[in-house]
Amino acid sequence: MCSSDLVDSRRDLLMRRSTGIEGVLLGSAEWVHLGADGAPGRAPRALVDAFPVSPPEPPVELPEWEEHAPDPILPFELIPWWTEMDPMGHVNHPRYVDWADEALSAWLASRGDDPLGLIPRAERVRSRAAAKAGDRVVVSGAKVGWAAHGAAYHLRMRRGAEVLCDAWIVRDHLEGERVFR
């Protein structure tokens, strides 16, 4: 079988320090389809057709927001479940977004506002360390500004004094700005 018969893909990753522009890690992974016998081979037509080639999309950017003095939200504490772990035994990006939303929702509920009215607009998570099942994680943060469609929040997740990640989220609400004032 010649290499032109193989269907392969490549995933590139660049990790940067939060305090600088220089790269810490640059890596790529090459993927190839393995048949039932474990040998590289052409992927079945149904699999190839399920993933048509498309031009790369531009990166998602957080919307601009007008900054104001931070308005703290109540700290929120949680313990990650085993079912939240990936095969490497740690939490991944989507779970941190869920925790940021849960902290914001708990804060809204404590003020008598409906947490079910949150509308996600944008988010960015910068990981520093991985949370694991059984860790005691505290989410704290503040509203830091106003975007075109909602309020901007910076939330930090910690395990003790160790920072796990920073999340910037922009959320709107079905009841509008009144909820975030």
Side-chain angles (χ1 to χ4, degrees), residues 63-150:
E64 297 286 326
W65 65 75
E66 177 186 327
E67 292 188 26
H68 64 68
D71 180 10
I73 67 168
L74 296 174
F76 179 79
E77 189 174 311
L78 61 102
I79 297 175
W81 298 353
W82 285 104
T83 55
E84 295 178 307
M85 301 302 107
D86 67 9
M88 301 301 289
H90 56 73
V91 172
N92 282 324
H93 170 87
R95 187 58 63 199
Y96 293 113
V97 174
D98 290 343
W99 295 346
D101 280 336
E102 188 63 24
L104 181 55
S105 295
W107 174 68
L108 288 171
S110 75
R111 296 167 21 133
D113 290 311
D114 181 7
L116 299 179
L118 277 180
I119 303 169
R121 294 294 185 195
E123 61 261 337
R124 182 178 73 205
V125 174
R126 260 212 190 134
S127 297
R128 298 182 185 197
K132 298 180 177 166
D135 285 346
R136 186 172 161 211
V137 176
V138 176
V139 182
S140 60
K143 180 173 58 177
V144 294
W146 290 104
H149 297 286

Side-chain angles (χ1 to χ4, degrees), residues 7 33 42-51:
V7 174
H33 177 75
R42 183 132 186 95
R45 173 56 44 201
L47 180 61
V48 174
D49 292 343
F51 298 96

Side-chain angles (χ1 to χ4, degrees), residues 128-130 157-165:
R128 298 182 185 197
M157 288 150 223
R158 296 179 184 269
R159 175 180 43 225
E162 181 182 22
V163 175
L164 299 172
C165 73

